[in-house]
């Protein structure tokens, strides 16, 4: 197992991700329960052992990326056999397991779902705000989400080590589970005239934020309980997603503090 690090100015702490290379080593990492953040397979690679790896990936529902050998060689000079896995620095959770414990503590769930947020620095900034605000968990999809890597950890100021992150197969399925569990889904979107200030966040709530370019998916909008937009008064009609998340989260915190 090898580590790769992001270079920082002298005197600053370096965050690192662990890297596993070689087909058998990657299979052993998966079997041992390691959290796989990303997995790269050489394009055009074949063979019986690779078929075993692909079967294991399917069994554990783990995504992989087909990449040219040049990319693998840039990552490591070791004998990678065409396969490299990056181990996540955090342990992911499942919201189906976490939500009951929140209710059992007598707390009112406040969750944050990120749909298509792929920039690692946005991910880190959002996690930092969410942890400071007491959000119970961040929910992300297995595919199409920012990696939890050294940049994300650093931008979060370590918050990603503290706040539960739930990596789920399907956000639509999770959304329906939350609604059935008494949690309202509030989508932040420009596709409504209703303001974020018109929504009652004092009950169990999951705030849904989307990517800046395409927003929240139509599938999540269709099943949501509320749509809400952040009021805009300037010429620029959009905010960075990490700023938007902070605005909505703290509106929820403000309402809850007034009701307490």
């Amino acid at each position: 197992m090898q580590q790769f690090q992001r270079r920082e100015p002298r005197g600053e702490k370096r965050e690192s991700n662990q890297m596993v290379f070689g087909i058998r080593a990657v299979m052993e990492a998966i079997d041992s329960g390691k959290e796989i953040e990303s997995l790269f397979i050489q394009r055009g690679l074949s063979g019986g052992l690779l078929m075993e790896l692909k079967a294991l990936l399917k069994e554990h529902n783990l995504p992989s990326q087909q990449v040219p050998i040049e990319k693998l060689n840039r990552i490591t000079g070791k004998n990678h056999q065409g396969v490299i896995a990056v181990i996540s620095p955090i342990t992911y959770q499942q919201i189906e397991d976490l939500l009951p414990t929140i209710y059992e503590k007598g707390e009112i769930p406040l969750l944050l779902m990120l749909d298509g947020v792929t920039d690692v620095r946005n991910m880190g900034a959002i996690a930092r705000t969410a942890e400071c605000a007491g959000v119970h968990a961040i929910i992300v999809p297995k595919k199409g989400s920012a990696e939890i890597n050294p940049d994300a950890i650093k931008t979060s100021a370590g918050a990603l080590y503290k706040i539960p992150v739930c990596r789920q197969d399907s956000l639509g399925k999770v959304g329906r589970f939350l609604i059935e569990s008494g949690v309202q889904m509030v989508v932040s979107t420009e596709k409504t005239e209703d303001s974020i200030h018109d929504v009652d966040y004092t009950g169990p709530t999951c705030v849904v934020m989307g990517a800046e370019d395409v927003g929240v998916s139509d599938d999540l909008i269709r099943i949501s309980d509320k749509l809400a937009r952040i009021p805009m008064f300037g010429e620029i009609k959009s905010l960075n997603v990490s700023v938007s998340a902070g605005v909505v989260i703290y509106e929820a915190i403000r309402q809850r503090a007034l009701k307490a």
Side-chain angles (χ1 to χ4, degrees), residues 61 94-97 99 111 113 115 139-142 166-183 185 206 208 216-225:
N61 197 24
Q94 295 292 302
I95 193 62
E96 294 89 346
D97 300 325
L99 186 61
L111 309 170
M113 180 181 289
D115 179 23
I139 304 168
V140 298
K142 277 190 176 180
C166 303
R167 187 167 64 172
Q168 309 283 156
D169 295 331
S170 165
L171 293 187
K173 183 178 179 181
V174 171
R176 287 185 285 273
F177 163 77
L178 292 175
I179 292 169
E180 291 170 359
S181 302
V183 179
M185 296 278 289
C206 178
V208 186
V216 177
S217 67
D218 290 338
D219 288 343
L220 286 175
I221 288 177
R222 277 194 291 269
I223 67 171
S224 66
D225 298 286

Side-chain angles (χ1 to χ4, degrees), residues 73-176:
N73 291 339
R74 286 196 298 269
I75 295 174
T76 181
K78 302 286 186 178
N79 181 22
H80 50 67
Q81 297 179 306
V83 177
I84 296 176
V86 179
I87 307 300
S88 174
I90 67 170
T91 299
Y92 289 103
Q93 300 189 38
Q94 295 292 302
I95 193 62
E96 294 89 346
D97 300 325
L98 186 61
L99 186 61
T101 66
I102 299 171
Y103 279 125
E104 287 168 6
K105 291 178 182 177
E107 298 176 358
I108 300 173
L110 179 57
L111 309 170
L112 180 60
M113 180 181 289
L114 304 180
D115 179 23
V117 176
T118 57
D119 184 274
V120 295
R121 291 178 179 82
N122 279 337
M123 179 68 184
I126 291 169
R128 183 174 184 173
T129 299
E131 201 283 328
C132 288
V135 170
H136 289 96
I138 298 173
I139 304 168
V140 298
K142 277 190 176 180
K143 295 181 180 179
S145 180
E147 289 188 5
I148 306 301
N149 63 14
D151 281 334
I153 296 290
K154 182 176 181 179
T155 308
S156 79
L160 282 165
Y161 289 135
K162 300 179 181 297
I163 188 169
V165 180
C166 303
R167 187 167 64 172
Q168 309 283 156
D169 295 331
S170 165
L171 293 187
K173 183 178 179 181
V174 171
R176 287 185 285 273

